[in-house]
Amino acid sequence: MVEIELDGKKVQVPPGSMVMHAAEKVGTYIPHFCYHKKLSIAASCRMCLVDVEKAPKAMPACATPVTMGMVVRTKSDKAVKAQKSVMEFLLINHPLDCPICDQGGECQLQDIAVGYGGGESRYEEEKRVVMPKDVGPLVSMQEMSRCIQCTRCVRFGQEIAGVMELGMSHRGEHAEIETFVGQSVDSELSGNMIDICPVGALTSKPFRYNARSWELGRRKSVSPHDSAGANLIVQVKNNQVMRVVPFENEEVNECWIADRDRFSYEALNSAERLTKPMLKQGGVWKEVDWQIALEYVANGLKTIKAEQGAQAIGLLASPHSTVEELALAGALVRGLGSSNIDSRLRAADFGNVAPEGEARWLGLPIAALSDLQRVLVVGSNLRKDHPLFAQRIRQAVRKGAQVHALNESVQDWAMPVANTLVAEATHWTQALAAIAAAVAESKGVAAPVAATIDDAARAIAASLLGGDRKAVLLGNAAAHHAQASSLLALAQWIATQTGASFGYLSEAANTVGAQLVRALPGQGGLDAGQMLSGSLKAALLLNVEPGADTAIDGKALANAEMVVTLSPFKTNLDISDVLLPIAPFSETSGSFVNAEGRLQSFHAVVKPLGETRPAWKVLRVLGNLLDLGGFAQESTQDVLAQALPGVVSGELVSAVRLSNRTDAAIDTAAAVGKPCVASIYQLDALVRRAGSLQLTADARAVSEVSA
């Protein structure tokens, strides 16, 4: 450790640290713009000039390495005078448009100018003007005259997102940040540029001119989309969600969120919201009150159970539903005497299930992804399926990690991929078996199954046998594969032989939680595929849109005597008999369990829209109307305590409940059909209805393929 004196305090920091790091350690604030703890050091703004003893002039704290015995003063006359001089230069060309700037009230330049800016400017010439730029539907670059060339956005693209979409052109007062050759900003993490911009140059296009920062209430929440479980700050005004930004959690999402976490809130206020219960009578939809709708459902379930038996009733639940909703859904179905409940909507191999009371999971902490040295990803478009996991693995690659992939094609993950083993999805078990055989060949042990080894398989095997921290990660396509059990068994064998961890990246916000509360068919119960194929007389759909959320289109559900849809949106109109408006994540409390097994609870951030009700309450009332026991909970905390006793929000589920072990036999015969995988902006009902997300290049590419 290196000891320095900072404003009279002794500070010890690791060798190679900068003065800024020492200041952060003791809580001393040094004004800055270009410095960001997650980005490389640029030292371009010079706002962090400090007085270093024996140095002839003020030095930038962000770029001055500490030395033993160094004496630093951050508030001396020399330091403050230097900082004020820099501020005067930064304000020379800055427009005087704070009253209309979206950054007003949360602007670093505005805040620092109060302490370090002059009362008047000595600059009387015309201010420069930078022309606005259209870079897509999410990020606004309409006021680039505000830019102070800190290059945070440029460095973010290169270092975190992996794509240099923005750069600085020209020099001096003509320098400006722009895309090149008129391209748009298409990164799935692009919204983070808005957060790190210290001025109002980059702002949110969907949020633009909708509210001022001081008008917004700020409430914590958790992303309901992919399995990262990103922590959010949801900003609200007049009982309406206006903006979503990240809440920093180093163990989960650091200080970043994906664009679908940030902009999907548009769906919460869309015209498609269902705000009153509806019944179909004579082919016509009519709004009714809750009592009539719930009694209709309860009487229908009683009748069908009496006439057809309990096994004629089934429930399909989205893995984006909360732990509490899924727990009560399971209790309702089983209370009726049925075993038909499933949340594996896009799966094809329903035999691939963890032992009862356990769940398939990531196999290592999310934070550990950043420090891996060897990674094999099977069946995943990593960058689009899991943007936050991809950025962590991207950081590992920057430290020297080797990443390998088994996929149908070579994909752009915005990071160097050492080897991609390309194979049709129907032949993935043979391709993964080839890697296993190559490992066996190198170690001189018996291979799990016979396979033909090619050069790519040997290269991947050789890499996995090196390094210390390793992982074999199965993506959404591997989880939904017709031979998912065999792929998991092969991953287990490779991991055991190479000393790697293995597990699933997991598709949805609550894929792990759904397994823990057994939102799965019981003994003799029907799986999702069988229920969607028309085996039910009464079907309940919890946050499910057949076709969009499922591998099978579900049109056969129309043959059931009663189909009940519980959804925040007017959907499934062609197959449903009842629509019950339930609250999205913003209007209900609940919990998700992310890929690493971390349970995170959240509260409603706004009141339910119209007559919308939280799904857990709807299910509880249905249980009471059906005279079932165990439906007396008063809160989601009561439900959670029964469903996952002893699990505390923010903590990991006990390791004994997380298991990827399998005894499945390995079948390398060609599989039937391709895995069903949702694209980045088709994952769930919210992102599908977020207007700005549907205008992005990723969404347009899917639409063009579909057309």
Side-chain angles (χ1 to χ4, degrees), residues 283-306:
V284 178
W285 284 102
K286 295 183 179 179
E287 293 184 345
V288 297
D289 63 34
W290 271 102
Q291 189 67 27
I292 291 174
L294 290 174
E295 286 181 354
Y296 180 92
V297 173
N299 292 334
L301 291 174
K302 288 177 182 177
T303 301
I304 290 170
K305 178 182 177 180

Side-chain angles (χ1 to χ4, degrees), residues 217-516:
R218 290 161 172 78
R219 289 133 197 201
K220 288 178 61 178
S221 192
V222 178
S223 168
H225 305 304
D226 64 39
S227 60
N231 289 201
L232 311 175
I233 293 290
V234 181
Q235 301 182 348
V236 303
K237 177 185 176 183
N238 297 334
N239 201 47
Q240 185 171 327
V241 175
M242 304 298 292
R243 183 166 62 169
V244 175
V245 296
F247 180 80
E248 186 171 349
N249 185 332
E250 281 296 315
E251 295 176 312
V252 180
N253 56 297
E254 300 177 86
C255 56
W256 317 118
I257 55 175
D259 285 350
R260 65 182 167 201
D261 302 329
R262 184 183 301 273
F263 296 108
S264 66
Y265 74 87
E266 288 184 300
L268 301 173
N269 309 317
S270 74
E272 293 185 55
R273 281 295 302 272
L274 176 67
T275 58
K276 290 193 70 173
M278 298 181 75
L279 284 180
K280 187 188 288 183
Q281 298 178 338
V284 178
W285 284 102
K286 295 183 179 179
E287 293 184 345
V288 297
D289 63 34
W290 271 102
Q291 189 67 27
I292 291 174
L294 290 174
E295 286 181 354
Y296 180 92
V297 173
N299 292 334
L301 291 174
K302 288 177 182 177
T303 301
I304 290 170
K305 178 182 177 180
E307 296 177 355
Q308 311 284 343
Q311 286 303 110
I313 301 170
L315 187 148
L316 291 163
S318 168
H320 299 276
S321 303
T322 67
V323 166
E324 294 81 359
E325 291 164 0
L326 293 169
L328 289 176
L332 180 74
V333 171
R334 295 185 180 101
L336 287 167
S338 173
S339 302
N340 306 328
I341 177 173
D342 208 347
S343 57
R344 300 165 299 170
L345 305 178
R346 296 188 176 99
D349 179 1
F350 293 100
N352 180 31
V353 61
E356 186 161 352
E358 300 178 5
R360 307 287 195 219
W361 68 301
L362 184 61
L364 74 168
I366 290 174
L369 293 172
S370 303
D371 296 315
L372 290 173
Q373 295 178 337
R374 302 288 188 273
V375 189
L376 170 60
V377 180
V378 180
S380 174
N381 187 351
L382 183 64
R383 177 182 169 190
K384 303 301 181 182
D385 293 348
H386 303 280
L388 294 176
F389 292 168
Q391 83 81 18
R392 281 195 180 269
I393 294 175
R394 196 172 291 122
Q395 304 318 306
V397 171
R398 289 172 60 84
K399 300 172 190 173
Q402 296 178 8
V403 176
H404 312 280
L406 167 56
N407 264 321
E408 281 199 301
S409 61
V410 177
Q411 297 168 338
D412 178 13
W413 288 355
M415 70 179 85
V417 177
N419 295 281
T420 298
L421 186 53
V422 177
E424 289 288 332
T426 53
H427 299 294
W428 279 355
T429 50
Q430 293 124 309
L432 196 56
I435 297 173
V439 170
E441 181 182 74
S442 296
K443 294 192 68 175
V445 299
V449 289
T452 302
I453 307 172
D454 59 15
D455 291 341
R458 281 196 175 88
I460 294 171
S463 176
L464 290 175
L465 287 166
D468 296 319
R469 299 178 296 277
K470 299 171 273 194
V472 181
L473 303 175
L474 300 169
N476 296 348
H480 302 157
H481 198 275
Q483 293 173 323
S485 299
S486 295
L487 290 172
L488 178 61
L490 285 163
Q492 177 180 263
W493 191 92
I494 293 170
T496 301
Q497 295 297 320
T498 61
S501 62
F502 71 105
Y504 286 99
L505 292 164
S506 301
E507 179 185 47
N510 208 24
T511 298
V512 176
Q515 298 172 73
L516 290 173

